Amino acid sequence: MSGDDEDNSGTALDLGRDLMLAGSRLRDAVGRRAQREFGITALQSDMLLLLATRGSMISTELASACGVNASTVTHAVDAGIERGLMRRVRNEADRRLVDIGLTVAGKRMAERVRALVADLARSALEGLGTPDLAVLAESLAQVTRNLEKD
């Protein structure tokens, strides 16, 4: 391995670690504020945002999108149903499946969570100029596309 390859490998490792750390810290901050302000967990926040965007999903899709197992999603959905934020309905295309969707209250809560995430993101990005933000946004979008290939 040449010196340049070693330098690039170290840089990639550092960037990978920094991406993971930034994502983890943002998720933790969202979870803390969502719990404090709305009484919901970070996972429920993720689920609300996903369901607001996609309409409805079956639990295995939701679990995969949130990076957790199906039983964890089941518990979070049960809690969301108890709070009147989510509902289960029979899938019209395949009656064996159950779709998870948002209630009207769930859609309102998803908007509140979206505003909370935007507020935290603004704080996290403080000090970056508009050109830097544009480069960061495109770079992160490319990272996401690259990771979706796996």
Side-chain angles (χ1 to χ4, degrees):
M1 189 185 288
S2 72
D4 284 346
D5 289 340
E6 288 176 20
D7 289 345
N8 288 338
S9 178
T11 299
L13 178 61
D14 290 345
L15 284 171
R17 185 196 65 234
D18 290 345
L19 280 169
M20 290 174 55
L21 185 58
S24 177
R25 290 204 173 144
L26 180 59
R27 181 178 167 77
D28 289 348
V30 168
R32 283 191 306 274
R33 279 202 37 203
Q35 182 69 46
R36 185 174 62 241
E37 295 177 21
F38 312 136
I40 60 175
T41 65
L43 174 58
Q44 290 169 324
S45 298
D46 287 349
M47 291 174 21
L48 288 168
L49 293 176
L50 279 166
L51 293 170
T53 301
R54 297 188 186 174
S56 67
M57 301 170 76
I58 60 173
S59 62
T60 54
E61 293 170 330
L62 198 51
S64 176
C66 292
V68 297
N69 64 41
S71 67
T72 301
V73 162
T74 298
H75 293 299
V77 169
D78 289 345
I81 289 171
E82 286 179 28
R83 296 262 329 258
L85 302 174
M86 298 175 199
R87 59 187 170 78
R88 289 186 178 100
V89 293
R90 199 56 65 193
N91 183 291
E92 291 186 21
D94 185 342
R95 304 287 296 157
R96 296 170 296 173
L97 301 175
V98 175
D99 289 325
I100 300 161
L102 296 180
T103 63
V104 172
K107 290 175 185 177
R108 283 194 304 267
M109 182 63 76
E111 286 304 314
R112 293 173 71 189
V113 170
R114 186 174 288 133
L116 182 149
V117 171
D119 183 52
L120 286 168
R122 276 190 294 279
S123 295
L125 297 169
E126 201 169 286
L128 294 175
T130 302
D132 294 329
L133 290 174
V135 170
L136 178 61
E138 180 51 40
S139 298
L140 289 174
Q142 184 62 52
V143 168
T144 300
R145 288 189 296 272
N146 291 345
L147 290 172
E148 287 174 346
K149 292 177 189 174
D150 289 338

